[in-house]
Amino acid sequence: MVVFGFFTWQRVMTSTEVKGDINIDVTGHQFAWEIRYPGTDGKLGSTNFRLYTAANKLGVDFKDRNSFDDLSADTLVLPVNKSIRINIHAQDVIHSVYMPHFRVQLNAVPGLPTFFKFVPTITTAKMKMITGNANFEYLLYCNKICGSGHWNMQKVVRVVSQAEYQDWIAKQKPYLSDQLRKELHFADSKPANQVSASNRLAVNN
């Protein structure tokens, strides 16, 4: 049982990156989940807990160029039949990412990033038909009693077609908000095209 269990666990918890994997960060804190998607480069920027601020609540490190096009979202939207990797973080106490319809659960531990991979196979629209419930939604819960607001710590998870996903992701807001730009003094720096133009002017003179 231990030997076969070990190989089953390795298969379930594979860390092998599959082409087309969608990496999504899910971060828990009392009492909410924060969701971050990669931008057009398909890569999430790194984070550092020392960088937490009111504007940078996930501690995203903008020394990593992959961070600049990252997106924030209020709903966990997933394309059907695609390999999804959920990267799990916690900022204060132990939480637990629990998605019962997908039969996945894993703790969110401060200072110890974890992850799981899965493939959603039934869209939310189809589940509404199967269940006969027009209000059906997949949900992400916290399955640890993490404090007084634990009962309300949940997010809607919506499984959609690839076309619907592309339309949705194109409408999401950048994580690098105007407030965060000011905090990082990005607003004070010249755009790259202006800098290059002034440099060319200096060379020509």
Side-chain angles (χ1 to χ4, degrees):
M1 185 181 294
V2 172
V3 172
F4 282 109
F6 173 75
F7 287 112
T8 301
W9 178 256
Q10 277 195 318
R11 188 169 66 253
V12 170
M13 296 302 294
T14 176
S15 60
T16 304
E17 187 168 343
V18 178
K19 186 177 181 180
D21 269 0
I22 298 176
N23 275 273
I24 304 168
D25 270 8
V26 173
T27 302
H29 60 83
Q30 293 174 311
F31 298 96
W33 296 107
E34 307 294 339
I35 302 173
R36 181 169 64 116
Y37 280 76
T40 52
D41 62 1
K43 298 178 181 179
L44 285 166
S46 56
T47 59
N48 185 330
F49 72 92
R50 295 182 179 86
L51 300 176
Y52 293 161
T53 66
N56 189 6
K57 56 188 173 183
L58 297 180
V60 174
D61 186 352
F62 287 94
K63 290 180 181 177
D64 181 351
R65 298 198 65 81
N66 293 324
S67 301
F68 282 87
D69 64 350
D70 289 352
L71 306 168
S72 60
D74 291 326
T75 304
L76 187 59
V77 176
L78 310 173
V80 69
N81 296 322
K82 292 289 185 180
S83 177
I84 308 295
R85 174 174 165 136
I86 301 292
N87 305 298
I88 303 168
H89 309 270
Q91 293 182 331
D92 38 34
V93 300
I94 295 176
H95 301 280
S96 187
V97 172
Y98 179 42
M99 298 162 65
H101 290 95
F102 303 103
R103 290 182 283 183
V104 291
Q105 177 183 338
L106 202 63
N107 285 353
V109 183
L112 184 65
T114 53
F115 74 93
F116 59 69
K117 293 176 69 173
F118 70 106
V119 178
T121 58
I122 302 176
T123 65
T124 298
K126 188 172 181 180
M127 277 298 286
K128 288 181 178 182
M129 294 172 60
I130 292 171
T131 61
N133 178 6
N135 298 316
F136 173 86
E137 295 285 9
Y138 293 115
L139 291 171
L140 184 164
Y141 299 96
C142 177
N143 205 30
K144 290 287 183 187
I145 299 177
C146 57
S148 60
H150 159 75
W151 62 276
N152 198 36
M153 192 170 167
Q154 58 183 258
K155 280 283 188 187
V156 170
V157 181
R158 196 156 288 146
V159 181
V160 298
S161 69
Q162 182 65 30
E164 289 172 316
Y165 174 75
Q166 293 297 340
D167 182 61
W168 174 84
I169 199 76
K171 296 173 182 174
Q172 299 315 297
K173 295 179 181 178
Y175 180 84
L176 184 56
S177 63
D178 290 341
Q179 183 183 354
L180 185 49
R181 282 181 175 276
K182 290 177 183 177
E183 185 176 286
L184 297 171
H185 304 294
F186 286 171
D188 299 337
S189 59
K190 290 183 180 179
N193 61 342
Q194 286 187 20
V195 173
S196 59
S198 62
N199 287 344
R200 283 197 302 272
L201 212 77
V203 170
N204 291 337
N205 290 337

